[in-house]
Amino acid sequence: MKRSTCTLTPENYNTACDLAGTALLRRIPAASTILQITEDGAWNEFSTGVYIAADFENVIRYTGSAIREGSVGDRVQEHVLRGRAARWTRLMVVPLAADTEEGLVRRIEGRIGTVLRPLDTKRLPTLGGPPRRPASRRASR
């Protein structure tokens, strides 16, 4: 059985940005590596946003969000330190306005995750209910 997967393409990134609506700060269409984010500070200017991680085959593995005093890159660093980012090779950020309310950030993360179906995300925020699993993946026949 083969899972239906989404890849980190410019089209999928643009869809993610569209799902952010008016909270979107701006589009950053270039992917970054873990080192660019954690060592070079590529995302240091963003304190709020949704990040999308893909593996070496460009398959989307994870979506997450950050709302913090530091940067979205600090959140990615936490994943690295806990060993959760071992398969991540390319990442993109959907930066949100710093004053975006936490509930809205989580709903945007849920919307993006529902559409992009990351393989390693176990639960997604929803529109007001308890977290839920990503959309089911049907086997190709």
Side-chain angles (χ1 to χ4, degrees):
M1 286 189 221
K2 186 172 181 170
R3 289 182 172 185
S4 172
T5 58
C6 284
T7 55
L8 191 52
T9 63
E11 295 78 20
N12 283 337
Y13 176 75
N14 281 327
T15 297
C17 288
D18 292 345
L19 291 167
T22 59
L24 179 68
L25 185 62
R26 69 176 180 270
R27 293 171 195 261
I28 310 291
S32 298
T33 65
I34 294 276
L35 286 176
Q36 288 172 319
I37 296 164
T38 60
E39 300 296 321
D40 299 340
W43 295 356
N44 281 356
E45 67 184 285
F46 311 120
S47 62
T48 306
V50 176
Y51 51 95
I52 307 162
D55 63 20
F56 73 97
E57 292 178 325
N58 210 33
V59 172
I60 297 173
R61 304 298 307 195
Y62 192 83
T63 58
S65 62
I67 307 159
R68 50 186 52 232
E69 292 293 320
S71 72
V72 175
D74 293 341
R75 179 67 183 123
V76 171
Q77 177 71 15
E78 291 170 3
H79 285 288
V80 171
L81 293 173
R82 291 187 177 113
R84 296 179 184 156
R87 294 183 179 172
W88 301 358
T89 57
R90 298 180 65 235
L91 294 98
M92 295 185 88
V93 65
V94 177
L96 305 175
D99 62 351
T100 305
E101 292 182 14
E102 181 177 356
L104 179 56
V105 173
R106 302 297 182 223
R107 286 191 302 274
I108 293 168
E109 175 191 356
R111 290 178 204 152
I112 291 170
T114 297
V115 170
L116 298 183
R117 300 183 316 273
L119 292 179
D120 298 333
T121 298
K122 292 184 172 56
R123 297 187 318 176
L124 293 168
T126 62
L127 302 174
R132 65 182 183 92
R133 297 192 182 283
S136 64
R137 298 170 186 95
R138 296 178 187 246
S140 300
R141 296 207 183 240

